[in-house]
């Protein structure tokens, strides 16, 4: 029942807006910032953020938002991030995770990695349908967002590089969520390889964007980038 209670906490529209904003940032968010983003008063935002924390959907901590320390730096402020746990509700109860883990274990033991990747690539192509390969990173981000990957654009080197001559060549899309996270934790090579093949089929391999492996803690193991990055 805990998952039902947690999901029910999102029924309130203000609470849901606050949760979605914090989850989308991929970093700690203070009460003032969250309140401004949701268009509500700070005291109301604080109430709902704490309720989301009690429900296990957010985690809270404290730090000085000024970046300073010592006398005059101000008191630490309460900050929030999305909790790493996974919530789902099925009525009547279903256990697809165990089935997925058993299938992954059998595939790994039988050495079916190549067959799984081929099937995943074919499924991605089927999902894409007759459409051409993605023509730009922005289009790829829309496709990824629709499938729950939570993509965000990262420019290595920061704003300074973005303004330089190489700025357009360094754009990378990372994903804060992996839809296969639960199984990937137990079978990372198998499931991450499947995920890469699925996205290759979904986005296409003959256009200006490409998917590749670049695992980073807390994010999807696959990134998407301008394919011309590696045409040097």
């Amino acid at each position: 029942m805990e998952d039902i209670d947690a999901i029910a906490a999102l029924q309130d529209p203000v609470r849901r807006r606050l949760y979605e904003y914090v989850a989308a940032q991929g970093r700690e968010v203070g009460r003032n910032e969250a309140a401004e983003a949701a268009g509500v008063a700070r005291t109301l935002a604080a109430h709902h953020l704490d309720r989301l924390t009690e429900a296990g959907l957010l985690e809270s901590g404290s730090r000085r938002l000024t970046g300073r320390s010592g006398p005059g730096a101000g008191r630490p402020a309460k900050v929030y991030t999305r909790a790493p746990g996974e919530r789902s509700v099925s009525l009547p109860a279903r256990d697809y995770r165990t089935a997925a883990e058993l299938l992954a274990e059998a595939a790994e033991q039988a050495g079916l990695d190549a067959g799984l990747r081929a099937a995943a690539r074919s499924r991605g192509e089927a999902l894409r349908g007759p459409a051409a390969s993605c023509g730009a990173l922005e289009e790829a981000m829309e496709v990824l967002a629709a499938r729950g990957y939570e993509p965000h654009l990262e420019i290595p080197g920061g704003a300074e590089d973005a303004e330089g001559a190489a700025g357009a060549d360094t754009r990378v899309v990372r994903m804060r969520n992996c839809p296969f996270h639960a199984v990937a934790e137990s079978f990372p090579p198998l499931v991450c390889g499947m995920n890469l093949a699925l996205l290759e089929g979904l986005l296409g391999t003959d256009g200006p964007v490409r998917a590749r492996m670049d695992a980073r803690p807390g994010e999807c193991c696959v990134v998407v980038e301008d394919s011309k990055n590696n045409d040097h």
Side-chain angles (χ1 to χ4, degrees), residues 6 19 50-59 82-85 87:
Y19 172 78
D50 286 340
R51 286 290 303 275
L52 289 167
T53 302
E54 292 169 6
L57 295 171
L58 297 180
E59 290 184 344
R82 177 167 59 181
R87 303 286 183 173

Side-chain angles (χ1 to χ4, degrees), residues 14-176:
V14 173
R15 200 172 298 158
R16 182 163 185 170
R17 289 203 307 273
L18 288 164
Y19 172 78
E20 290 175 344
Y21 179 78
V22 173
Q25 303 315 301
R27 57 173 173 77
E28 294 176 329
V29 175
R31 287 172 167 175
N32 287 339
E33 178 185 349
E36 183 177 352
V40 298
R42 183 184 184 281
T43 51
L44 181 59
H47 166 73
H48 285 305
L49 289 167
D50 286 340
R51 286 290 303 275
L52 289 167
T53 302
E54 292 169 6
L57 295 171
L58 297 180
E59 290 184 344
S60 64
S62 61
R63 67 177 177 86
R64 288 188 173 90
L65 299 179
T66 61
R68 297 178 299 174
S69 59
R75 296 175 57 187
K78 200 163 187 180
V79 292
Y80 302 84
T81 56
R82 177 167 59 181
E86 191 172 305
R87 303 286 183 173
S88 64
V89 174
S90 177
L91 297 173
R94 297 288 187 263
D95 190 5
Y96 299 113
R97 175 175 177 174
T98 296
E101 289 178 342
L102 287 170
L103 290 169
E105 183 177 1
E108 190 171 75
Q109 291 178 352
L112 300 178
D113 305 56
L116 178 60
R117 289 195 299 270
R121 190 171 290 106
S122 294
R123 174 60 64 90
E125 291 170 349
L127 291 171
R128 175 160 52 97
S133 296
C134 283
L137 280 182
E138 289 74 17
E139 181 184 349
M141 290 180 70
E142 292 180 5
V143 173
L144 294 167
R147 302 206 65 81
Y149 283 91
E150 298 184 7
H152 65 100
L153 189 62
E154 176 184 271
I155 301 176
E160 183 177 347
D161 283 357
E163 296 173 359
D169 296 332
T170 56
R171 299 191 307 159
V172 174
V173 172
R174 293 189 176 272
M175 294 166 272
R176 294 194 175 100

